[in-house]
Amino acid sequence: MLCRSFYAVFLLSSGAAPISAANQNYIGNAEVAFKVLQNWYNPNTGIWNTTGWWNSANCLTVIGDLAAVDPSIKTEVSAVYANSIVAAPNLNLGVTKIVTSDFNIESFYTKSPPGVVKRQVNPKGFLNAFYDDEGWWALGWIQAYDITGTAEYLNTAIDIFTDMKNGSSTPCKGGIWWDKTETYVNAIANELYLSVAAHLANRVVQNKQFYLSIAQDQWTWFQQSGMINSKSLINDGLTGACKNNNGTVWSYNQGVVLGGLVELNKASPNASYISSAKSIATAAIKALSDSNGVLHDPCEPNCGADGSQFKGIFMRNLQILQAASPDNSYLSFIATNAASIWAKDRNTQNQLSVGWAGPFVSPANASTQSSALGALVAAVAFQGQLGNGIASRHRRWQL
């Protein structure tokens, strides 16, 4: 069972020379962080120890993100894919979730049985009672397909999306439910639905129009749903009356939509998609950054097992937006966060924790590690530009 913990604080000792974003070896840092993350990977279960089911989908995605910009790890990542597609479904034994008073999520998992269980036939192995969990796995397997070209991974994502579509029975004139018991219409499930549909439109050529129409309709509905507030920030979801619930502005709710809109623009170019994405990204950076430009979620440092994943999701999707529509302010933000993580949020074992501005909060786990790795990967993607000193001329961190 995973639940919130109160962590003891461990502060890295100081005294080394100051470090700036300009002289970071981002690819080296990311490879070290990747190796630490893989210490938690369990080949028997196909998921990562110390974290949960949907978090493991994000672990799967972030190692693929790194492989996309660092081919030296592609063989190792491909082996993880080949193992997890077989082993992970056997650990999908059920999850209960609650929405806390601050609109964070707490997930509770059943224990796995001893021994090795026979492989389940996909897609049922990646389906559960929550459409957002399914969306994370769909995006993870789409990334796996992009890295390897293995059709099974894309087909798994297609099958997952087919199940997600069954959630489109809300009373809010569109969108999908968060859960199959139909208790909540929230932002994250609907952003994932948009993103998966748009990704599939660009990869399933024979059914492009089917997925494109869903993605376009979903974005039109999302814009009109009221979840995007007057500050261009996305609140957590809708009330039972289908009104903005003024729920917490979480980083991941500002992130997934960015990647979805970039993919939608690839499928059907429309300048408004990128414009909307940039409005949300810019507003999020302003609202969720401290005075040094480091990203935070309101739950820190006690974000629990779910909230600790959020920030890396924002960084992954900001990377996607930056690649599609370069902006020096986004590049600066990526560099700032990657450098701060390495200087202030790392222990002597190169584990990365929840507070990217420091100090290190113990214990780290696969969720905090993979989330922080998302920021490091974003910096790797633009290492050449960052090496020229962009974003780092005015900020320095003390080790």
Side-chain angles (χ1 to χ4, degrees):
M1 181 175 76
L2 296 176
C3 60
R4 288 191 176 189
S5 302
F6 288 89
Y7 302 131
V9 174
F10 171 77
L11 177 60
L12 281 172
S13 61
S14 61
I19 184 169
S20 75
N23 59 27
Q24 290 282 303
N25 176 10
Y26 292 112
I27 194 165
N29 296 350
E31 287 176 350
V32 169
F34 164 73
K35 285 180 170 56
V36 174
L37 176 63
Q38 292 311 99
N39 289 336
W40 283 300
Y41 181 68
N42 187 334
N44 294 320
T45 65
I47 61 176
W48 280 257
N49 293 338
T50 73
T51 196
W53 176 250
W54 80 272
N55 310 78
S56 287
N58 277 277
C59 293
L60 189 84
T61 305
V62 77
I63 66 172
D65 293 339
L66 181 56
V69 294
D70 181 4
S72 72
I73 68 162
K74 181 178 176 180
T75 298
E76 185 175 353
V77 169
S78 296
V80 172
Y81 293 151
N83 183 70
S84 290
I85 195 76
V86 175
N90 298 316
L91 266 291
N92 185 9
L93 300 178
V95 59
T96 300
K97 297 192 181 193
I98 61 171
V99 181
T100 63
S101 59
D102 64 350
F103 294 93
N104 200 346
I105 303 294
E106 289 187 0
S107 301
F108 302 86
Y109 297 89
T110 58
K111 292 183 178 180
S112 60
V116 178
V117 186
K118 288 184 179 180
R119 178 183 182 182
Q120 298 181 21
V121 178
N122 284 316
K124 291 183 173 59
F126 292 98
L127 308 183
N128 68 6
F130 297 91
Y131 292 117
D132 59 339
D133 285 13
E134 295 184 3
W136 298 120
W137 281 103
L139 290 178
W141 290 121
I142 289 169
Q143 177 67 318
Y145 169 74
D146 288 349
I147 295 298
T148 66
T150 302
E152 181 183 13
Y153 303 152
L154 182 61
N155 289 335
T156 298
I158 290 169
D159 290 335
I160 293 170
F161 182 79
T162 298
D163 192 69
M164 292 179 73
K165 192 173 183 298
N166 293 332
S168 56
S169 59
T170 80
C172 300
K173 299 180 180 179
I176 66 168
W177 292 98
W178 169 57
D179 56 335
K180 293 180 180 177
T181 53
E182 301 182 352
T183 66
Y184 190 24
V185 178
N186 70 354
I188 198 59
N190 280 286
E191 292 179 41
L192 287 163
Y193 189 56
L194 163 66
S195 188
V196 176
H199 276 79
L200 292 177
N202 287 316
R203 290 159 179 81
V204 187
V205 179
Q206 66 274 24
N207 286 323
K208 176 178 180 176
Q209 191 56 50
F210 171 75
Y211 294 112
L212 177 59
S213 294
I214 291 173
Q216 289 172 324
D217 290 347
Q218 178 69 1
W219 174 236
T220 297
W221 172 81
F222 194 86
Q223 287 180 289
Q224 298 171 353
S225 71
M227 281 187 277
I228 306 175
N229 65 33
S230 61
K231 296 180 179 179
S232 296
L233 297 168
I234 300 173
N235 292 105
D236 194 69
L238 301 178
T239 66
C242 299
K243 304 295 183 182
N244 186 318
N245 63 10
N246 295 311
T248 304
V249 174
W250 297 112
S251 60
Y252 78 150
N253 280 333
Q254 321 311 307
V256 171
V257 68
L258 308 181
L261 288 171
V262 169
E263 286 289 331
L264 183 54
N265 187 62
K266 289 179 183 177
S268 180
N270 184 324
S272 70
Y273 298 148
I274 299 299
S275 176
S276 294
K278 297 189 84 163
S279 293
I280 294 167
T282 300
I285 290 170
K286 179 180 179 181
L288 297 176
S289 299
D290 64 22
S291 60
N292 290 318
V294 179
L295 182 64
H296 294 270
D297 269 307
C299 56
E300 294 175 18
N302 302 305
C303 289
D306 288 52
S308 60
Q309 197 74 51
F310 294 170
K311 290 184 296 185
I313 294 164
F314 179 80
M315 298 303 293
R316 173 189 310 142
N317 287 280
L318 185 66
Q319 174 193 334
I320 293 169
L321 178 59
Q322 173 66 14
S325 182
D327 187 313
N328 276 349
S329 67
Y330 300 161
L331 194 63
S332 175
F333 183 75
I334 289 167
T336 293
N337 281 271
S340 184
I341 287 166
W342 205 247
K344 291 193 169 185
D345 186 37
R346 177 171 58 106
N347 70 7
T348 55
Q349 287 77 49
N350 292 313
Q351 294 175 342
L352 310 174
S353 191
V354 67
W356 294 356
F360 181 87
V361 179
S362 181
N365 55 46
S367 174
T368 63
Q369 189 80 13
S370 60
S371 182
L373 179 56
L376 301 181
V377 170
V380 172
F382 306 109
Q383 175 85 62
Q385 298 170 61
L386 295 176
N388 294 326
I390 294 173
S392 60
R393 297 184 181 116
H394 305 296
R395 294 193 181 107
R396 300 173 77 84
W397 293 269
Q398 194 79 23
L399 277 173

